[in-house]
Amino acid sequence: MKKSNLDFSTPQRQSQAAIYLIVYTRFKNVVSRLWPLLLIALFTGDLNFKNPDTLTQVIFGLTLFTGIFGIIAYYRYYFWIEGDQLMIKKGVLNQSLTQIPFDRIQTIDFEQNLIHQFFDVVGLKIETAGSTQSETKMQALKKVQAEALRDFILSQKVDALPESEMVPVAEQQKTELIYKIDFLRLIKIGLTENHIRSGFFILFAIFWFVDNINEAGYDFGDYGDQYFNQILNSVFYIAGLAIFFVLLSMLISVGRIFLRYFDLRLLRSLHGFKVINGLFNRKEVAALDTKIQILSWKQNLIQRWLGYHDLMLKQASSAQLSTKKSIVVPGVNTDDIEKVKNLLFPERDEGSVEYYGVSSYYLWRPMLIISLISIPLTIFLIFQQAYPTLLILDLFYFGFLIRRRKRFNKTFFGLNDQGMFVRGGIFGHSRWMTLHHKIQSTEIKQTPFQHRKALADFIIHTASGSRGIPYIRLEEAEYLQDYLTHKIEESNKQWM
């Protein structure tokens, strides 16, 4: 049995930096609930620090309470190792004792936000199988202490295995670099993101701010009408505002991607993958092969031009598998995807897969429904001479038809003796696959229309979520259900 250089047999506290992190977390939760009120108070001048009113006193009181709570929480948190279990005792008013058997521990992940990095500590996340909570967190440990605790737990798990399955901890921790994002690729990934989402965020922020300021007694109506009329009277103003809006949306998207995926590395360990990424909030997350249920990748139109994909490792989580988790690795190319597939599902035998399309009703029925709605609206708008609205309606209508056609042309499903494979996409491509022993159950769904036409949607349920194949023939769905049920029952492989 291996021993750690640090003695975990006696109760010990986290690093003192945990006080700041507990206070920060509690304070952030308070601010997230009160930030609209705080923003209005600051803007209207109601938040007075020199002559505090009731609102200011409440805010000061909450801040003081949060600080005291954090200090008490730190001094009442202990952890130690007892036998083959990790013990955690915590609680401010009501104390609880948590026992985590080593054999239930699935992954031990590290996290470093700005406060962690400033104090040179790491946050620890311990995920277990079959627990009532998704994960156990330790706010701050010295990195040496955190690594020693992880290595000690892993060494005990190794010692508990049969001799034929034992693998030294050093071998378990050894990693191979599979993929790394450089600075230029990170910028390109940001430019390929969904800027429409960032644009809607900007619009929502503007409308929310103006609405709340108006409710606080400051009327922007007169000023808004004046500047709005000036902008409408100038094509250059409109063009400039549109360009500014687009650039700002792109800047937000690039900034968000840069902060989240800075220096991303995908590593291969003995039993799975490890992803390290983040600038201000540095994360180290493990994804074991046994927990990864679905492998998928997709791309939009711009990503297709650049040859990039977003790779997703969909894994089962704890909390009785009620929470779904996925690790996203952006900017990968086809060679990177093949490498991951060969490591994760080496037995998949894609060459033997025969693919089948879906029913043409998947194309024509939605197109017919949207046409029945759009044609009367078009006639009405023509009589009303509402040509700008008509133009928007026509763009939406033809855009829907084009998207639906492309989606239908790219939707295929296939299977072989090893797994299930599905293709899709609109302007880009999307793929997902899973092996038979990863499937929990299957389901056949039918709408009244599908029932009349002997069609069905076939649903596959896994521990990481459900995936569907739309509008296939009922006899195909029944065959798939019988075949997959047989493969699930005869398999002796562990799904997790």
PDB file of all heavy atoms in Angstrom, residues 415 420 432 434 436 438-445 457-462 466-467 469 476-488:
ATOM      1  N   LEU A 415     -26.107   1.397 -38.620  1.00  0.00           N
ATOM      2  CA  LEU A 415     -25.641   0.589 -37.496  1.00  0.00           C
ATOM      3  C   LEU A 415     -24.890  -0.627 -38.005  1.00  0.00           C
ATOM      4  O   LEU A 415     -24.999  -0.998 -39.173  1.00  0.00           O
ATOM      5  CB  LEU A 415     -26.800   0.161 -36.603  1.00  0.00           C
ATOM      6  CG  LEU A 415     -27.690  -1.020 -37.041  1.00  0.00           C
ATOM      7  CD1 LEU A 415     -28.474  -1.522 -35.845  1.00  0.00           C
ATOM      8  CD2 LEU A 415     -28.630  -0.617 -38.151  1.00  0.00           C
ATOM      9  N   MET A 420     -24.200   2.482 -33.096  1.00  0.00           N
ATOM     10  CA  MET A 420     -25.193   3.256 -33.842  1.00  0.00           C
ATOM     11  C   MET A 420     -24.504   4.525 -34.338  1.00  0.00           C
ATOM     12  O   MET A 420     -23.757   5.181 -33.599  1.00  0.00           O
ATOM     13  CB  MET A 420     -26.353   3.622 -32.913  1.00  0.00           C
ATOM     14  CG  MET A 420     -27.566   4.165 -33.609  1.00  0.00           C
ATOM     15  SD  MET A 420     -28.560   2.837 -34.308  1.00  0.00           S
ATOM     16  CE  MET A 420     -29.632   3.789 -35.394  1.00  0.00           C
ATOM     17  N   TRP A 432     -22.896  11.842 -34.822  1.00  0.00           N
ATOM     18  CA  TRP A 432     -22.778  11.283 -33.481  1.00  0.00           C
ATOM     19  C   TRP A 432     -22.787   9.771 -33.554  1.00  0.00           C
ATOM     20  O   TRP A 432     -23.345   9.181 -34.471  1.00  0.00           O
ATOM     21  CB  TRP A 432     -23.845  11.809 -32.538  1.00  0.00           C
ATOM     22  CG  TRP A 432     -25.270  11.422 -32.812  1.00  0.00           C
ATOM     23  CD1 TRP A 432     -26.184  12.126 -33.527  1.00  0.00           C
ATOM     24  CD2 TRP A 432     -25.955  10.248 -32.349  1.00  0.00           C
ATOM     25  NE1 TRP A 432     -27.389  11.476 -33.552  1.00  0.00           N
ATOM     26  CE2 TRP A 432     -27.290  10.325 -32.823  1.00  0.00           C
ATOM     27  CE3 TRP A 432     -25.598   9.144 -31.576  1.00  0.00           C
ATOM     28  CZ2 TRP A 432     -28.239   9.340 -32.560  1.00  0.00           C
ATOM     29  CZ3 TRP A 432     -26.542   8.157 -31.307  1.00  0.00           C
ATOM     30  CH2 TRP A 432     -27.848   8.268 -31.781  1.00  0.00           C
ATOM     31  N   THR A 434     -22.526   6.013 -30.880  1.00  0.00           N
ATOM     32  CA  THR A 434     -22.436   5.359 -29.581  1.00  0.00           C
ATOM     33  C   THR A 434     -22.372   3.866 -29.804  1.00  0.00           C
ATOM     34  O   THR A 434     -22.843   3.354 -30.835  1.00  0.00           O
ATOM     35  CB  THR A 434     -23.633   5.729 -28.685  1.00  0.00           C
ATOM     36  OG1 THR A 434     -23.413   5.209 -27.368  1.00  0.00           O
ATOM     37  CG2 THR A 434     -24.945   5.171 -29.225  1.00  0.00           C
ATOM     38  N   HIS A 436     -23.263  -0.151 -28.693  1.00  0.00           N
ATOM     39  CA  HIS A 436     -24.493  -0.786 -28.223  1.00  0.00           C
ATOM     40  C   HIS A 436     -24.560  -0.897 -26.701  1.00  0.00           C
ATOM     41  O   HIS A 436     -25.619  -0.681 -26.107  1.00  0.00           O
ATOM     42  CB  HIS A 436     -24.639  -2.184 -28.848  1.00  0.00           C
ATOM     43  CG  HIS A 436     -24.809  -2.168 -30.330  1.00  0.00           C
ATOM     44  ND1 HIS A 436     -25.543  -1.201 -30.977  1.00  0.00           N
ATOM     45  CD2 HIS A 436     -24.330  -3.001 -31.309  1.00  0.00           C
ATOM     46  CE1 HIS A 436     -25.526  -1.442 -32.280  1.00  0.00           C
ATOM     47  NE2 HIS A 436     -24.792  -2.517 -32.508  1.00  0.00           N
ATOM     48  N   LYS A 438     -23.508   0.995 -24.513  1.00  0.00           N
ATOM     49  CA  LYS A 438     -23.722   2.285 -23.857  1.00  0.00           C
ATOM     50  C   LYS A 438     -25.205   2.672 -23.823  1.00  0.00           C
ATOM     51  O   LYS A 438     -25.593   3.594 -23.104  1.00  0.00           O
ATOM     52  CB  LYS A 438     -22.949   3.378 -24.605  1.00  0.00           C
ATOM     53  CG  LYS A 438     -21.444   3.177 -24.675  1.00  0.00           C
ATOM     54  CD  LYS A 438     -20.775   3.521 -23.366  1.00  0.00           C
ATOM     55  CE  LYS A 438     -19.259   3.473 -23.487  1.00  0.00           C
ATOM     56  NZ  LYS A 438     -18.591   3.830 -22.221  1.00  0.00           N
ATOM     57  N   ILE A 439     -26.025   2.007 -24.614  1.00  0.00           N
ATOM     58  CA  ILE A 439     -27.440   2.356 -24.716  1.00  0.00           C
ATOM     59  C   ILE A 439     -28.199   1.790 -23.514  1.00  0.00           C
ATOM     60  O   ILE A 439     -28.066   0.612 -23.175  1.00  0.00           O
ATOM     61  CB  ILE A 439     -28.036   1.824 -26.033  1.00  0.00           C
ATOM     62  CG1 ILE A 439     -27.337   2.472 -27.231  1.00  0.00           C
ATOM     63  CG2 ILE A 439     -29.535   2.080 -26.098  1.00  0.00           C
ATOM     64  CD1 ILE A 439     -27.745   1.893 -28.576  1.00  0.00           C
ATOM     65  N   GLN A 440     -29.001   2.642 -22.873  1.00  0.00           N
ATOM     66  CA  GLN A 440     -29.802   2.230 -21.726  1.00  0.00           C
ATOM     67  C   GLN A 440     -31.138   1.629 -22.163  1.00  0.00           C
ATOM     68  O   GLN A 440     -31.570   0.604 -21.653  1.00  0.00           O
ATOM     69  CB  GLN A 440     -30.067   3.428 -20.810  1.00  0.00           C
ATOM     70  CG  GLN A 440     -28.812   4.080 -20.265  1.00  0.00           C
ATOM     71  CD  GLN A 440     -28.170   3.260 -19.165  1.00  0.00           C
ATOM     72  OE1 GLN A 440     -28.761   3.008 -18.135  1.00  0.00           O
ATOM     73  NE2 GLN A 440     -26.948   2.837 -19.407  1.00  0.00           N
ATOM     74  N   SER A 441     -31.818   2.311 -23.078  1.00  0.00           N
ATOM     75  CA  SER A 441     -33.116   1.841 -23.558  1.00  0.00           C
ATOM     76  C   SER A 441     -33.435   2.535 -24.874  1.00  0.00           C
ATOM     77  O   SER A 441     -32.769   3.505 -25.263  1.00  0.00           O
ATOM     78  CB  SER A 441     -34.222   2.128 -22.534  1.00  0.00           C
ATOM     79  OG  SER A 441     -34.358   3.524 -22.309  1.00  0.00           O
ATOM     80  N   THR A 442     -34.473   2.051 -25.547  1.00  0.00           N
ATOM     81  CA  THR A 442     -34.936   2.661 -26.791  1.00  0.00           C
ATOM     82  C   THR A 442     -36.433   2.923 -26.696  1.00  0.00           C
ATOM     83  O   THR A 442     -37.141   2.328 -25.881  1.00  0.00           O
ATOM     84  CB  THR A 442     -34.650   1.744 -27.997  1.00  0.00           C
ATOM     85  OG1 THR A 442     -35.357   0.503 -27.816  1.00  0.00           O
ATOM     86  CG2 THR A 442     -33.165   1.466 -28.129  1.00  0.00           C
ATOM     87  N   GLU A 443     -36.903   3.815 -27.560  1.00  0.00           N
ATOM     88  CA  GLU A 443     -38.309   4.205 -27.511  1.00  0.00           C
ATOM     89  C   GLU A 443     -38.792   4.554 -28.913  1.00  0.00           C
ATOM     90  O   GLU A 443     -38.048   5.149 -29.704  1.00  0.00           O
ATOM     91  CB  GLU A 443     -38.467   5.416 -26.585  1.00  0.00           C
ATOM     92  CG  GLU A 443     -39.893   5.893 -26.391  1.00  0.00           C
ATOM     93  CD  GLU A 443     -39.949   7.099 -25.461  1.00  0.00           C
ATOM     94  OE1 GLU A 443     -38.873   7.575 -25.015  1.00  0.00           O
ATOM     95  OE2 GLU A 443     -41.065   7.557 -25.187  1.00  0.00           O
ATOM     96  N   ILE A 444     -40.015   4.171 -29.213  1.00  0.00           N
ATOM     97  CA  ILE A 444     -40.657   4.519 -30.483  1.00  0.00           C
ATOM     98  C   ILE A 444     -41.779   5.503 -30.202  1.00  0.00           C
ATOM     99  O   ILE A 444     -42.663   5.227 -29.389  1.00  0.00           O
ATOM    100  CB  ILE A 444     -41.210   3.263 -31.189  1.00  0.00           C
ATOM    101  CG1 ILE A 444     -40.058   2.329 -31.584  1.00  0.00           C
ATOM    102  CG2 ILE A 444     -42.017   3.649 -32.430  1.00  0.00           C
ATOM    103  CD1 ILE A 444     -40.524   1.011 -32.184  1.00  0.00           C
ATOM    104  N   LYS A 445     -41.746   6.657 -30.859  1.00  0.00           N
ATOM    105  CA  LYS A 445     -42.768   7.682 -30.675  1.00  0.00           C
ATOM    106  C   LYS A 445     -43.481   7.948 -31.996  1.00  0.00           C
ATOM    107  O   LYS A 445     -42.838   7.978 -33.056  1.00  0.00           O
ATOM    108  CB  LYS A 445     -42.157   8.987 -30.143  1.00  0.00           C
ATOM    109  CG  LYS A 445     -41.752   8.931 -28.684  1.00  0.00           C
ATOM    110  CD  LYS A 445     -41.311  10.309 -28.190  1.00  0.00           C
ATOM    111  CE  LYS A 445     -41.029  10.300 -26.706  1.00  0.00           C
ATOM    112  NZ  LYS A 445     -40.649  11.653 -26.210  1.00  0.00           N
ATOM    113  N   ASP A 457     -40.667   8.245 -34.829  1.00  0.00           N
ATOM    114  CA  ASP A 457     -39.387   8.774 -34.366  1.00  0.00           C
ATOM    115  C   ASP A 457     -38.770   7.724 -33.450  1.00  0.00           C
ATOM    116  O   ASP A 457     -39.433   7.224 -32.530  1.00  0.00           O
ATOM    117  CB  ASP A 457     -39.570  10.078 -33.589  1.00  0.00           C
ATOM    118  CG  ASP A 457     -40.053  11.218 -34.472  1.00  0.00           C
ATOM    119  OD1 ASP A 457     -39.871  11.131 -35.701  1.00  0.00           O
ATOM    120  OD2 ASP A 457     -40.616  12.191 -33.935  1.00  0.00           O
ATOM    121  N   PHE A 458     -37.504   7.390 -33.694  1.00  0.00           N
ATOM    122  CA  PHE A 458     -36.818   6.390 -32.884  1.00  0.00           C
ATOM    123  C   PHE A 458     -35.871   7.095 -31.919  1.00  0.00           C
ATOM    124  O   PHE A 458     -34.999   7.865 -32.336  1.00  0.00           O
ATOM    125  CB  PHE A 458     -36.048   5.419 -33.773  1.00  0.00           C
ATOM    126  CG  PHE A 458     -35.444   4.273 -33.026  1.00  0.00           C
ATOM    127  CD1 PHE A 458     -36.251   3.272 -32.498  1.00  0.00           C
ATOM    128  CD2 PHE A 458     -34.075   4.194 -32.844  1.00  0.00           C
ATOM    129  CE1 PHE A 458     -35.690   2.210 -31.799  1.00  0.00           C
ATOM    130  CE2 PHE A 458     -33.509   3.142 -32.151  1.00  0.00           C
ATOM    131  CZ  PHE A 458     -34.321   2.144 -31.623  1.00  0.00           C
ATOM    132  N   ILE A 459     -36.047   6.854 -30.610  1.00  0.00           N
ATOM    133  CA  ILE A 459     -35.286   7.549 -29.574  1.00  0.00           C
ATOM    134  C   ILE A 459     -34.352   6.569 -28.888  1.00  0.00           C
ATOM    135  O   ILE A 459     -34.756   5.465 -28.502  1.00  0.00           O
ATOM    136  CB  ILE A 459     -36.219   8.188 -28.523  1.00  0.00           C
ATOM    137  CG1 ILE A 459     -37.358   8.966 -29.204  1.00  0.00           C
ATOM    138  CG2 ILE A 459     -35.424   9.087 -27.592  1.00  0.00           C
ATOM    139  CD1 ILE A 459     -36.898  10.110 -30.053  1.00  0.00           C
ATOM    140  N   ILE A 460     -33.097   6.980 -28.730  1.00  0.00           N
ATOM    141  CA  ILE A 460     -32.093   6.193 -28.013  1.00  0.00           C
ATOM    142  C   ILE A 460     -31.764   6.923 -26.716  1.00  0.00           C
ATOM    143  O   ILE A 460     -31.394   8.102 -26.734  1.00  0.00           O
ATOM    144  CB  ILE A 460     -30.819   6.006 -28.856  1.00  0.00           C
ATOM    145  CG1 ILE A 460     -31.125   5.161 -30.086  1.00  0.00           C
ATOM    146  CG2 ILE A 460     -29.710   5.364 -28.037  1.00  0.00           C
ATOM    147  CD1 ILE A 460     -29.971   5.048 -31.052  1.00  0.00           C
ATOM    148  N   HIS A 461     -31.910   6.236 -25.584  1.00  0.00           N
ATOM    149  CA  HIS A 461     -31.619   6.816 -24.278  1.00  0.00           C
ATOM    150  C   HIS A 461     -30.288   6.275 -23.756  1.00  0.00           C
ATOM    151  O   HIS A 461     -30.081   5.057 -23.717  1.00  0.00           O
ATOM    152  CB  HIS A 461     -32.727   6.483 -23.280  1.00  0.00           C
ATOM    153  CG  HIS A 461     -34.081   7.005 -23.670  1.00  0.00           C
ATOM    154  ND1 HIS A 461     -34.413   8.348 -23.596  1.00  0.00           N
ATOM    155  CD2 HIS A 461     -35.181   6.371 -24.148  1.00  0.00           C
ATOM    156  CE1 HIS A 461     -35.659   8.508 -23.999  1.00  0.00           C
ATOM    157  NE2 HIS A 461     -36.149   7.328 -24.349  1.00  0.00           N
ATOM    158  N   THR A 462     -29.398   7.188 -23.382  1.00  0.00           N
ATOM    159  CA  THR A 462     -28.142   6.810 -22.741  1.00  0.00           C
ATOM    160  C   THR A 462     -28.026   7.563 -21.424  1.00  0.00           C
ATOM    161  O   THR A 462     -28.841   8.430 -21.114  1.00  0.00           O
ATOM    162  CB  THR A 462     -26.925   7.162 -23.624  1.00  0.00           C
ATOM    163  OG1 THR A 462     -26.726   8.584 -23.622  1.00  0.00           O
ATOM    164  CG2 THR A 462     -27.117   6.687 -25.056  1.00  0.00           C
ATOM    165  N   SER A 466     -30.539  11.742 -24.386  1.00  0.00           N
ATOM    166  CA  SER A 466     -31.261  11.012 -25.437  1.00  0.00           C
ATOM    167  C   SER A 466     -30.977  11.612 -26.802  1.00  0.00           C
ATOM    168  O   SER A 466     -30.771  12.821 -26.925  1.00  0.00           O
ATOM    169  CB  SER A 466     -32.769  11.036 -25.162  1.00  0.00           C
ATOM    170  OG  SER A 466     -33.059  10.484 -23.896  1.00  0.00           O
ATOM    171  N   ARG A 467     -30.986  10.777 -27.800  1.00  0.00           N
ATOM    172  CA  ARG A 467     -30.821  11.197 -29.190  1.00  0.00           C
ATOM    173  C   ARG A 467     -31.923  10.551 -30.027  1.00  0.00           C
ATOM    174  O   ARG A 467     -32.323   9.410 -29.749  1.00  0.00           O
ATOM    175  CB  ARG A 467     -29.449  10.808 -29.742  1.00  0.00           C
ATOM    176  CG  ARG A 467     -28.274  11.550 -29.101  1.00  0.00           C
ATOM    177  CD  ARG A 467     -28.298  13.027 -29.428  1.00  0.00           C
ATOM    178  NE  ARG A 467     -27.211  13.758 -28.838  1.00  0.00           N
ATOM    179  CZ  ARG A 467     -26.124  14.158 -29.495  1.00  0.00           C
ATOM    180  NH1 ARG A 467     -26.002  13.875 -30.784  1.00  0.00           N
ATOM    181  NH2 ARG A 467     -25.190  14.841 -28.891  1.00  0.00           N
ATOM    182  N   ILE A 469     -33.872   9.773 -34.011  1.00  0.00           N
ATOM    183  CA  ILE A 469     -33.838   9.661 -35.470  1.00  0.00           C
ATOM    184  C   ILE A 469     -35.265   9.911 -35.947  1.00  0.00           C
ATOM    185  O   ILE A 469     -36.167   9.116 -35.652  1.00  0.00           O
ATOM    186  CB  ILE A 469     -33.358   8.269 -35.921  1.00  0.00           C
ATOM    187  CG1 ILE A 469     -32.016   7.929 -35.270  1.00  0.00           C
ATOM    188  CG2 ILE A 469     -33.243   8.218 -37.441  1.00  0.00           C
ATOM    189  CD1 ILE A 469     -31.584   6.493 -35.485  1.00  0.00           C
ATOM    190  N   GLU A 476     -38.858  -0.154 -39.711  1.00  0.00           N
ATOM    191  CA  GLU A 476     -37.439   0.076 -39.426  1.00  0.00           C
ATOM    192  C   GLU A 476     -37.229   0.361 -37.943  1.00  0.00           C
ATOM    193  O   GLU A 476     -36.276  -0.135 -37.327  1.00  0.00           O
ATOM    194  CB  GLU A 476     -36.923   1.246 -40.256  1.00  0.00           C
ATOM    195  CG  GLU A 476     -36.802   0.970 -41.748  1.00  0.00           C
ATOM    196  CD  GLU A 476     -36.330   2.174 -42.534  1.00  0.00           C
ATOM    197  OE1 GLU A 476     -36.652   3.325 -42.123  1.00  0.00           O
ATOM    198  OE2 GLU A 476     -35.638   1.992 -43.552  1.00  0.00           O
ATOM    199  N   ALA A 477     -38.126   1.177 -37.369  1.00  0.00           N
ATOM    200  CA  ALA A 477     -38.019   1.498 -35.943  1.00  0.00           C
ATOM    201  C   ALA A 477     -38.179   0.249 -35.083  1.00  0.00           C
ATOM    202  O   ALA A 477     -37.447   0.045 -34.102  1.00  0.00           O
ATOM    203  CB  ALA A 477     -39.063   2.550 -35.567  1.00  0.00           C
ATOM    204  N   GLU A 478     -39.126  -0.598 -35.435  1.00  0.00           N
ATOM    205  CA  GLU A 478     -39.344  -1.835 -34.677  1.00  0.00           C
ATOM    206  C   GLU A 478     -38.159  -2.780 -34.805  1.00  0.00           C
ATOM    207  O   GLU A 478     -37.773  -3.444 -33.834  1.00  0.00           O
ATOM    208  CB  GLU A 478     -40.630  -2.511 -35.155  1.00  0.00           C
ATOM    209  CG  GLU A 478     -41.887  -1.724 -34.779  1.00  0.00           C
ATOM    210  CD  GLU A 478     -43.144  -2.303 -35.399  1.00  0.00           C
ATOM    211  OE1 GLU A 478     -43.005  -3.075 -36.394  1.00  0.00           O
ATOM    212  OE2 GLU A 478     -44.245  -1.997 -34.925  1.00  0.00           O
ATOM    213  N   TYR A 479     -37.578  -2.841 -36.010  1.00  0.00           N
ATOM    214  CA  TYR A 479     -36.385  -3.675 -36.201  1.00  0.00           C
ATOM    215  C   TYR A 479     -35.228  -3.150 -35.338  1.00  0.00           C
ATOM    216  O   TYR A 479     -34.529  -3.935 -34.675  1.00  0.00           O
ATOM    217  CB  TYR A 479     -35.983  -3.710 -37.668  1.00  0.00           C
ATOM    218  CG  TYR A 479     -34.632  -4.375 -37.899  1.00  0.00           C
ATOM    219  CD1 TYR A 479     -34.524  -5.763 -37.916  1.00  0.00           C
ATOM    220  CD2 TYR A 479     -33.485  -3.601 -38.060  1.00  0.00           C
ATOM    221  CE1 TYR A 479     -33.290  -6.378 -38.103  1.00  0.00           C
ATOM    222  CE2 TYR A 479     -32.245  -4.202 -38.241  1.00  0.00           C
ATOM    223  CZ  TYR A 479     -32.156  -5.585 -38.265  1.00  0.00           C
ATOM    224  OH  TYR A 479     -30.927  -6.185 -38.438  1.00  0.00           O
ATOM    225  N   LEU A 480     -35.014  -1.820 -35.367  1.00  0.00           N
ATOM    226  CA  LEU A 480     -33.948  -1.226 -34.568  1.00  0.00           C
ATOM    227  C   LEU A 480     -34.148  -1.523 -33.087  1.00  0.00           C
ATOM    228  O   LEU A 480     -33.196  -1.855 -32.370  1.00  0.00           O
ATOM    229  CB  LEU A 480     -33.898   0.290 -34.792  1.00  0.00           C
ATOM    230  CG  LEU A 480     -33.305   0.788 -36.109  1.00  0.00           C
ATOM    231  CD1 LEU A 480     -33.446   2.300 -36.210  1.00  0.00           C
ATOM    232  CD2 LEU A 480     -31.833   0.400 -36.221  1.00  0.00           C
ATOM    233  N   GLN A 481     -35.384  -1.395 -32.620  1.00  0.00           N
ATOM    234  CA  GLN A 481     -35.656  -1.634 -31.202  1.00  0.00           C
ATOM    235  C   GLN A 481     -35.367  -3.079 -30.823  1.00  0.00           C
ATOM    236  O   GLN A 481     -34.724  -3.352 -29.800  1.00  0.00           O
ATOM    237  CB  GLN A 481     -37.101  -1.274 -30.881  1.00  0.00           C
ATOM    238  CG  GLN A 481     -37.414  -1.270 -29.388  1.00  0.00           C
ATOM    239  CD  GLN A 481     -38.755  -0.654 -29.099  1.00  0.00           C
ATOM    240  OE1 GLN A 481     -39.771  -1.089 -29.629  1.00  0.00           O
ATOM    241  NE2 GLN A 481     -38.775   0.369 -28.239  1.00  0.00           N
ATOM    242  N   ASP A 482     -35.817  -4.022 -31.639  1.00  0.00           N
ATOM    243  CA  ASP A 482     -35.577  -5.440 -31.348  1.00  0.00           C
ATOM    244  C   ASP A 482     -34.085  -5.768 -31.414  1.00  0.00           C
ATOM    245  O   ASP A 482     -33.551  -6.479 -30.541  1.00  0.00           O
ATOM    246  CB  ASP A 482     -36.346  -6.321 -32.337  1.00  0.00           C
ATOM    247  CG  ASP A 482     -37.856  -6.223 -32.152  1.00  0.00           C
ATOM    248  OD1 ASP A 482     -38.286  -5.795 -31.065  1.00  0.00           O
ATOM    249  OD2 ASP A 482     -38.599  -6.553 -33.108  1.00  0.00           O
ATOM    250  N   TYR A 483     -33.423  -5.242 -32.426  1.00  0.00           N
ATOM    251  CA  TYR A 483     -31.998  -5.549 -32.612  1.00  0.00           C
ATOM    252  C   TYR A 483     -31.165  -4.969 -31.471  1.00  0.00           C
ATOM    253  O   TYR A 483     -30.307  -5.669 -30.898  1.00  0.00           O
ATOM    254  CB  TYR A 483     -31.525  -4.991 -33.951  1.00  0.00           C
ATOM    255  CG  TYR A 483     -30.060  -5.236 -34.233  1.00  0.00           C
ATOM    256  CD1 TYR A 483     -29.621  -6.474 -34.686  1.00  0.00           C
ATOM    257  CD2 TYR A 483     -29.122  -4.226 -34.036  1.00  0.00           C
ATOM    258  CE1 TYR A 483     -28.272  -6.708 -34.936  1.00  0.00           C
ATOM    259  CE2 TYR A 483     -27.776  -4.451 -34.276  1.00  0.00           C
ATOM    260  CZ  TYR A 483     -27.354  -5.686 -34.735  1.00  0.00           C
ATOM    261  OH  TYR A 483     -26.031  -5.921 -34.967  1.00  0.00           O
ATOM    262  N   LEU A 484     -31.405  -3.702 -31.136  1.00  0.00           N
ATOM    263  CA  LEU A 484     -30.618  -3.064 -30.084  1.00  0.00           C
ATOM    264  C   LEU A 484     -30.914  -3.666 -28.718  1.00  0.00           C
ATOM    265  O   LEU A 484     -30.009  -3.806 -27.885  1.00  0.00           O
ATOM    266  CB  LEU A 484     -30.884  -1.559 -30.073  1.00  0.00           C
ATOM    267  CG  LEU A 484     -30.352  -0.787 -31.285  1.00  0.00           C
ATOM    268  CD1 LEU A 484     -30.742   0.679 -31.205  1.00  0.00           C
ATOM    269  CD2 LEU A 484     -28.838  -0.927 -31.394  1.00  0.00           C
ATOM    270  N   THR A 485     -32.161  -4.021 -28.460  1.00  0.00           N
ATOM    271  CA  THR A 485     -32.495  -4.686 -27.192  1.00  0.00           C
ATOM    272  C   THR A 485     -31.732  -6.003 -27.066  1.00  0.00           C
ATOM    273  O   THR A 485     -31.197  -6.330 -25.993  1.00  0.00           O
ATOM    274  CB  THR A 485     -34.006  -4.944 -27.102  1.00  0.00           C
ATOM    275  OG1 THR A 485     -34.706  -3.695 -27.174  1.00  0.00           O
ATOM    276  CG2 THR A 485     -34.357  -5.631 -25.790  1.00  0.00           C
ATOM    277  N   HIS A 486     -31.661  -6.748 -28.167  1.00  0.00           N
ATOM    278  CA  HIS A 486     -30.909  -8.006 -28.169  1.00  0.00           C
ATOM    279  C   HIS A 486     -29.422  -7.758 -27.909  1.00  0.00           C
ATOM    280  O   HIS A 486     -28.797  -8.475 -27.102  1.00  0.00           O
ATOM    281  CB  HIS A 486     -31.106  -8.719 -29.506  1.00  0.00           C
ATOM    282  CG  HIS A 486     -30.189  -9.884 -29.709  1.00  0.00           C
ATOM    283  ND1 HIS A 486     -30.314 -11.056 -29.003  1.00  0.00           N
ATOM    284  CD2 HIS A 486     -29.101 -10.036 -30.534  1.00  0.00           C
ATOM    285  CE1 HIS A 486     -29.350 -11.905 -29.375  1.00  0.00           C
ATOM    286  NE2 HIS A 486     -28.620 -11.303 -30.308  1.00  0.00           N
ATOM    287  N   LYS A 487     -28.853  -6.737 -28.564  1.00  0.00           N
ATOM    288  CA  LYS A 487     -27.422  -6.438 -28.390  1.00  0.00           C
ATOM    289  C   LYS A 487     -27.125  -5.974 -26.968  1.00  0.00           C
ATOM    290  O   LYS A 487     -26.076  -6.314 -26.407  1.00  0.00           O
ATOM    291  CB  LYS A 487     -26.989  -5.361 -29.390  1.00  0.00           C
ATOM    292  CG  LYS A 487     -27.113  -5.755 -30.855  1.00  0.00           C
ATOM    293  CD  LYS A 487     -26.217  -6.929 -31.204  1.00  0.00           C
ATOM    294  CE  LYS A 487     -24.750  -6.578 -31.172  1.00  0.00           C
ATOM    295  NZ  LYS A 487     -23.899  -7.698 -31.652  1.00  0.00           N
ATOM    296  N   ILE A 488     -28.049  -5.198 -26.378  1.00  0.00           N
ATOM    297  CA  ILE A 488     -27.850  -4.722 -25.006  1.00  0.00           C
ATOM    298  C   ILE A 488     -27.864  -5.903 -24.034  1.00  0.00           C
ATOM    299  O   ILE A 488     -27.038  -5.990 -23.115  1.00  0.00           O
ATOM    300  CB  ILE A 488     -28.942  -3.693 -24.625  1.00  0.00           C
ATOM    301  CG1 ILE A 488     -28.798  -2.425 -25.472  1.00  0.00           C
ATOM    302  CG2 ILE A 488     -28.857  -3.344 -23.148  1.00  0.00           C
ATOM    303  CD1 ILE A 488     -29.986  -1.486 -25.361  1.00  0.00           C
TER     304      ILE A 488
END
